[in-house]
């Protein structure tokens, strides 16, 4: 005998009870156990949302950086947000996703990043830090120190590069941008893809960003090329949580 329970992360599951299966009255044989059928196909399954929303206490540097990037995005896109703090960045991202297709969204972010960072500084970093173990580890450490305001608290982890262990991975337990937007499409088109292109083109450093859409964590792997058949590009958006889809009717799954 099985009992069907509603679990908090994505649907119904069947759990066996402690009772023994009932016997057929006539034949005396056990009834075959019925396996529960999936209510949703894997491609359409509801993705879990963390139960608690993270509360951030931005310091003066965080607020300054957020305002600077948000203003750059708004200026590039020709839009204006009346919000303050991280909400202004979130609203700017939503307005861009609502107004432009995926390709243009990516270009807006790349242009915004190019405008936010002086070109000569990027060229100097690219010249002084060509791809190597030192530069990969430097970029990973630099990201955890100076970009936590954008992605949330993060830490450096190791991975194997050409048979050697390196501290070239930034692990983000819960991405601030993804949690704030609840939108897989904006994660792809306004974070993952443009960031990978910008860092590769401007700093000469390959990077693969690997988001986990179930727990909203992410890994930034410096020195690794993104796969051609990237699973993150095939993931449909959240069915009931996506802010852009539910509030603005954005078709962000494409």
């Amino acid at each position: 005998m099985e009992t069907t329970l509603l679990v908090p992360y994505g649907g119904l599951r069947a759990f066996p009870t402690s009772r023994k299966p009932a016997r057929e009255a006539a034949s005396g044989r056990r009834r075959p156990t019925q396996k529960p059928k999936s209510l949703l196909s894997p491609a359409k399954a509801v993705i879990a949302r963390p139960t608690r929303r993270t509360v951030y206490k931005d310091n003066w540097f965080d607020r300054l950086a957020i305002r600077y990037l948000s203003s750059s995005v708004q200026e590039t896109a020709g839009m204006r947000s009346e919000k303050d703090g991280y909400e202004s960045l979130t609203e700017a991202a939503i307005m861009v996703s609502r107004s432009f297709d995926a390709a243009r969204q990516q270009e807006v972010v790349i242009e915004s990043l190019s405008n936010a960072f002086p070109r000569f500084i990027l060229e100097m970093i690219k010249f002084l830090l060509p791809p190597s173990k030192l530069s990969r580890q430097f970029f990973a450490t630099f990201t955890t120190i100076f970009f936590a305001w954008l992605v949330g608290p993060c830490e450096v982890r190791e991975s194997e590069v050409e048979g050697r262990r390196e501290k070239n991975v930034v692990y983000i337990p819960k991405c601030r941008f993804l949690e704030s937007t609840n939108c897989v499409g904006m994660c792809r088109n306004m974070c993952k893809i443009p960031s990978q292109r910008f860092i590769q083109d401007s700093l000469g450093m390959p990077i693969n960003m690997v988001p986990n859409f179930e727990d909203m964590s992410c890994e930034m792997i410096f020195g690794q090329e993104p796969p051609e058949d990237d699973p993150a590009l095939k993931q449909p958006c959240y069915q009931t949580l996506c802010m852009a889809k539910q509030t603005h009717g954005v078709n962000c799954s494409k």
Side-chain angles (χ1 to χ4, degrees), residues 4-123:
T4 302
L5 299 177
L6 179 64
V7 295
Y9 295 112
L12 302 175
R13 291 183 184 174
F15 293 87
T17 65
S18 58
R19 298 181 182 180
K20 294 182 179 181
R23 296 178 178 275
E24 294 281 0
S27 62
R29 293 181 298 179
R30 293 180 184 272
R31 293 175 180 172
T33 302
Q34 298 294 324
K35 294 184 179 180
K37 295 182 179 180
S38 174
L39 300 181
L40 296 170
S41 62
K44 297 181 180 179
V46 177
I47 301 174
R49 180 184 185 181
T51 56
R52 294 182 181 179
R53 190 173 184 85
T54 308
V55 177
Y56 294 90
K57 296 181 179 180
D58 297 315
N59 59 33
W60 66 269
F61 174 80
D62 300 332
R63 293 192 296 271
L64 182 64
I66 291 168
R67 186 182 305 115
Y68 187 63
L69 180 58
S70 178
S71 298
S72 182
V73 172
Q74 294 174 49
E75 183 178 351
T76 302
M79 302 172 178
R80 183 171 180 79
S81 170
E82 300 299 329
K83 303 284 187 179
D84 293 322
Y86 205 86
E87 287 186 2
S88 70
L89 181 60
T90 301
E91 186 175 70
I94 292 174
M95 289 190 296
V96 171
S97 68
R98 180 178 55 186
S99 303
F100 305 115
D101 61 16
R104 180 54 185 157
Q105 292 173 39
Q106 297 164 23
E107 292 300 328
V108 166
V109 175
I110 293 174
E111 291 175 23
S112 301
L113 293 173
S114 299
N115 294 333
F117 296 97
R119 189 66 190 175
F120 77 93
I121 293 181
L122 297 175
E123 291 293 341

Side-chain angles (χ1 to χ4, degrees), residues 39-228:
L39 300 181
L40 296 170
S41 62
K44 297 181 180 179
V46 177
I47 301 174
R49 180 184 185 181
T51 56
R52 294 182 181 179
R53 190 173 184 85
T54 308
V55 177
Y56 294 90
K57 296 181 179 180
D58 297 315
N59 59 33
W60 66 269
F61 174 80
D62 300 332
R63 293 192 296 271
L64 182 64
I66 291 168
R67 186 182 305 115
Y68 187 63
L69 180 58
S70 178
S71 298
S72 182
V73 172
Q74 294 174 49
E75 183 178 351
T76 302
M79 302 172 178
R80 183 171 180 79
S81 170
E82 300 299 329
K83 303 284 187 179
D84 293 322
Y86 205 86
E87 287 186 2
S88 70
L89 181 60
T90 301
E91 186 175 70
I94 292 174
M95 289 190 296
V96 171
S97 68
R98 180 178 55 186
S99 303
F100 305 115
D101 61 16
R104 180 54 185 157
Q105 292 173 39
Q106 297 164 23
E107 292 300 328
V108 166
V109 175
I110 293 174
E111 291 175 23
S112 301
L113 293 173
S114 299
N115 294 333
F117 296 97
R119 189 66 190 175
F120 77 93
I121 293 181
L122 297 175
E123 291 293 341
M124 183 176 63
I125 295 174
K126 185 176 182 179
F127 175 76
L128 295 176
L129 293 171
S132 66
K133 178 180 179 180
L134 174 64
S135 62
R136 290 189 288 269
Q137 296 189 151
F138 171 82
F139 285 127
T141 302
F142 186 88
T143 300
T144 61
I145 296 174
F146 292 103
F147 285 92
W149 57 268
L150 178 60
V151 299
C154 43
E155 62 186 47
V156 176
R157 290 189 174 182
E158 290 186 340
S159 75
E160 187 172 301
V161 181
E162 297 178 351
R164 299 179 301 175
R165 303 297 296 179
E166 294 183 6
K167 294 183 177 180
N168 67 316
V169 179
V170 175
Y171 174 69
I172 307 165
K174 187 190 295 183
C175 177
R176 184 177 187 178
F177 183 73
L178 180 56
E179 183 184 23
S180 298
T181 60
N182 280 324
C183 182
V184 173
M186 279 194 279
C187 170
R188 280 195 302 255
N189 298 320
M190 303 199 67
C191 184
K192 174 181 165 61
I193 296 176
S195 295
Q196 289 175 168
R197 288 175 53 190
F198 177 78
I199 294 173
Q200 169 72 71
D201 296 341
S202 300
L203 301 176
M205 174 60 66
I207 180 173
N208 182 23
M209 299 178 67
V210 187
N212 183 328
F213 294 118
E214 293 187 1
D215 61 9
M216 296 187 177
S217 65
C218 185
E219 285 187 331
M220 302 173 65
I221 309 173
F222 288 95
Q224 184 180 95
E225 297 281 354
E228 292 184 5

